[in-house]
């Protein structure tokens, strides 16, 4: 059964927003841009409606590069096969901040206010990330109550997991009244949404939390963990 | 006096100051006229609008571009500067039309079929405008058929195509093939950009150029213009 979590608050991380705006580690915005980010942060909080959907599913088998879930749903990724080898369950999830912020960004763009629109869009990305983190924390608590731990979070497009596998995630949750939909090109609408999978395994298994990045040769990958 | 006010316009574009309310990137400039007020003042003084564009706005954006590449400026800084140029161009447009000043070329911008991401494309559009190009932005999810139609009708010099997903970047190839089928491929230069694309991908699909960011896109357009 798909579970929904709504009516919760998240805190947008300004540093993360600056990162989305292209600022690198040793750089921060000048006071004029910093004030604008603060102003738009207030607006962002008015516009977002964070919500999460997840479904717990048993793992039926792992045969690299495939992970077979209940109902025969198949995840195809060598990296995920490795990650989920020590897990007995997964949580398929979708999180979103809704359409309000995106609509406002489009309106600002239409009015030629590209700076404000870009800053607000980056705040939306920050909010979408925090919404996914919120779900991750709830799932971690849920797993802990059962003597289990969770893996890191993976979304289609990460590592070798093809973005077209979004279709498998949406199929897994197709019985639920989701507020997120998928286009033919596997783009989620609203765009400020995160979908993915989190593995759940026994707490005494020490490698559950390990990142597969340590085996990866893409040293400059922006998503390296 | 004319030189002074053009220099002031230039400095205020570099500071991203739209009007007197703005503090500027270096701070402490509230109360001093910004680009909006200075352009109007310059017009009132009878300053040649063409000089305001070439020696004020375009030169300023070229400096903004250098600072962006040197990582002194970041995306919001360049957008604040570009917005002042957009505002100045709106004020100057009727005067430039009277003076018969031509743009550097016409660019059609589009996010390709199936893709709804348009921020990157919008940033490239505003920077191209700031560099003196006429830009017609067709928005997102633009089919190859619509691009063929607009190229036939408007005869642009360049098309800029954007995509953010590996699932949609192949629509760039489809667009280029449609232009070729319509006999238009040699009439227009195609440049591409967006996170999953690269110079190699541009070459593979037969595009004329690739821009990793907005200022690189302008540079590629300028190079292609010189070569043609």
């Amino acid at each position: 059964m798909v579970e929904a979590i709504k009516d919760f608050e998240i805190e947008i991380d300004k540093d993360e927003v600056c990162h989305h705006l292209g600022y690198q580690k040793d750089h921060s915005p000048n006071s004029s841009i910093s004030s604008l980010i603060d102003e738009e942060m207030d607006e962002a909080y008015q516009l977002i409606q964070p919500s999460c959907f997840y479904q717990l599913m048993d793992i039926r088998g792992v045969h690299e590069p495939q992970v077979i879930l209940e109902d025969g749903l198949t995840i195809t990724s060598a990296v995920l096969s490795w990650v989920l080898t020590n897990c007995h369950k997964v949580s398929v999830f979708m999180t979103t901040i809704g359409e309000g912020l995106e609509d406002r960004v489009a309106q600002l763009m239409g009015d030629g206010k590209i700076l404000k629109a870009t800053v607000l869009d980056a705040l939306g990305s920050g909010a979408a990330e925090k919404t996914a983190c919120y779900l991750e924390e709830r799932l971690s608590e849920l797993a802990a109550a059962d003597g289990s731990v969770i893996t890191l979070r993976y979304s289609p497009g990460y590592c070798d997991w093809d973005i077209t596998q979004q279709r498998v995630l949406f199929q897994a949750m197709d019985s639920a009244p989701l507020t997120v939909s998928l286009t033919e090109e596997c783009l989620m609408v609203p765009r400020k949404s995160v979908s993915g999978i989190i593995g759940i395994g026994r707490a005494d298994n020490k490698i559950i939390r390990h990142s597969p990045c340590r085996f990866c040769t893409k040293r400059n990958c922006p998503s390296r963990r | 006096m004319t030189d002074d006010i053009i220099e002031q316009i230039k400095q205020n574009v570099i500071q991203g100051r739209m009007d007197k309310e703005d503090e500027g990137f270096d701070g402490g400039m509230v109360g001093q006229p910004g680009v909006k007020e200075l352009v109007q003042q310059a017009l009132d003084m009878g300053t040649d609008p063409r000089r305001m564009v070439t020696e004020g706005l375009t030169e300023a954006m070229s400096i903004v571009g250098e600072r962006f590449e040197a990582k002194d400026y970041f995306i919001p800084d360049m957008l604040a500067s570009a917005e002042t140029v957009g505002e100045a161009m709106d004020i100057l447009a009727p005067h430039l039309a009277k003076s018969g000043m031509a743009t550097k070329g016409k660019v059609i911008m589009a996010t390709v079929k199936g893709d709804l991401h348009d921020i990157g494309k919008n940033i490239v559009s505003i920077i191209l405008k700031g560099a003196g190009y006429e830009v017609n932005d067709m928005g997102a999810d633009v089919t190859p058929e619509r691009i063929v139609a607009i190229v036939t009708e408007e005869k642009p010099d360049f098309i800029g195509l954007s995509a953010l997903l590996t699932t949609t970047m192949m629509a760039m190839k489809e667009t280029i093939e449609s232009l070729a089928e319509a006999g238009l491929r040699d009439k227009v230069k195609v440049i591409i950009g967006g996170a999953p694309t690269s110079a190699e991908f541009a070459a593979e699909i037969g595009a004329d150029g690739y821009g990793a960011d907005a200022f690189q896109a302008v540079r590629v357009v300028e190079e292609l213009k010189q070569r043609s």
Side-chain angles (χ1 to χ4, degrees), chain A residues 108-120:
Chain A
L108 287 168
M109 279 288 180
D111 293 345
K113 297 190 184 325
I114 190 168
L115 171 59
K116 263 192 180 180
T118 304
V119 167
L120 190 59

Side-chain angles (χ1 to χ4, degrees), chain A residues 69-109:
Chain A
L69 305 179
E70 58 185 87
D71 298 335
L73 290 173
T74 304
I75 301 289
T76 307
S77 154
V79 172
L80 276 176
S81 302
W82 179 82
V83 169
L84 298 173
T85 292
N86 297 292
C87 296
H88 55 281
K89 264 185 195 298
V90 295
S91 168
V92 173
F93 71 86
M94 256 157 243
T95 64
T96 185
I97 60 161
E99 290 172 334
L101 184 137
E102 270 175 37
D103 291 348
R104 177 69 182 141
V105 168
Q107 189 186 19
L108 287 168
M109 279 288 180

Side-chain angles (χ1 to χ4, degrees), chain A residues 109 114, chain B residues 107-111 118-126 129 134-140 142 146 150 154 160:
Chain A
M109 279 288 180
I114 190 168
Chain B
V107 189
I108 300 284
M109 292 292 296
T111 298
D118 62 357
I119 292 232
K121 181 255 306 158
N122 294 353
I123 292 174
V124 175
S125 296
I126 195 169
K129 276 185 202 167
E134 180 187 348
V135 178
N136 181 350
D137 187 343
M138 296 184 73
V142 183
R146 284 182 59 206
I150 201 153
E154 294 199 7

Side-chain angles (χ1 to χ4, degrees), chain A residues 154-193:
Chain A
Y154 297 85
S155 294
Y158 278 32
C159 310
D160 65 342
W161 196 16
D162 197 274
I163 196 168
T164 55
Q165 288 250 298
Q166 289 275 27
R167 294 183 189 125
V168 177
L169 303 182
F170 275 76
Q171 204 183 331
M173 302 180 86
D174 69 352
S175 60
L178 301 177
T179 52
V180 185
S181 61
L182 193 66
T183 69
E184 204 181 314
E185 291 77 14
C186 294
L187 181 68
M188 284 185 287
V189 180
R191 273 177 290 149
K192 300 295 183 199
S193 303

Side-chain angles (χ1 to χ4, degrees), chain B:
Chain B
M1 261 315 263
T2 292
D3 286 349
D4 281 356
I5 200 153
I6 290 176
E7 181 60 24
Q8 279 186 62
I9 291 171
K10 180 174 151 186
Q11 291 310 324
N12 278 276
V13 169
I14 294 169
Q15 286 292 318
R17 293 192 67 238
M18 183 70 87
D19 55 35
K20 61 181 188 320
E21 307 293 325
D22 289 329
E23 57 177 312
F25 298 149
D26 294 340
M29 294 176 81
V30 173
Q32 296 177 36
V35 171
K36 222 163 146 176
E37 291 97 354
L38 288 165
V39 167
Q40 195 53 56
Q41 267 181 42
L43 281 173
D44 296 343
M45 286 164 55
T47 309
D48 182 350
R50 291 171 298 186
R51 284 193 61 201
M52 284 194 242
V53 174
T54 52
E55 295 166 40
L57 308 178
T58 310
E59 271 190 33
M61 282 314 286
S62 156
I63 291 168
V64 169
E66 284 164 20
R67 292 189 181 180
F68 181 74
E69 291 193 347
K71 296 193 168 39
D72 288 335
Y73 273 24
F74 294 88
I75 292 169
D77 308 306
M78 73 153 160
L79 292 179
S81 293
E83 274 189 1
T84 66
V85 172
E87 180 69 25
M89 290 302 283
D90 285 347
I91 300 171
L92 292 174
H95 305 274
L96 290 168
K98 262 189 254 169
S99 69
M101 185 181 182
T103 66
K104 285 160 90 175
K106 189 185 231 183
V107 189
I108 300 284
M109 292 292 296
T111 298
V112 293
K113 185 180 77 171
D115 204 322
L116 302 173
H117 297 90
D118 62 357
I119 292 232
K121 181 255 306 158
N122 294 353
I123 292 174
V124 175
S125 296
I126 195 169
I127 298 297
L128 278 167
K129 276 185 202 167
Y133 289 86
E134 180 187 348
V135 178
N136 181 350
D137 187 343
M138 296 184 73
D141 193 15
V142 183
T143 61
E145 295 74 28
R146 284 182 59 206
I147 294 197
V148 166
I150 201 153
V151 170
T152 309
E153 193 181 321
E154 294 199 7
K155 301 183 176 54
D157 305 288
F158 302 93
I159 299 175
L161 299 177
S162 169
L164 194 77
L165 298 174
T166 49
T167 45
T168 54
M169 65 196 266
M170 291 318 286
M172 292 175 159
K173 183 170 187 264
E174 210 185 311
T175 304
I176 292 172
E177 285 167 357
S178 296
L179 286 168
E181 281 162 22
L184 296 167
R185 185 63 192 91
D186 57 346
K187 308 273 188 249
V188 65
K189 300 285 182 201
V190 181
I191 63 163
I192 67 160
T197 65
S198 62
E200 293 72 34
F201 178 70
E204 192 186 309
I205 63 168
D208 298 295
Y210 160 75
D213 61 44
F215 287 105
Q216 264 197 35
V218 173
R219 205 162 48 235
V220 170
V221 165
E222 304 262 317
E223 281 168 11
L224 289 170
K225 193 169 137 71
Q226 273 176 9
R227 267 193 260 152
S228 62

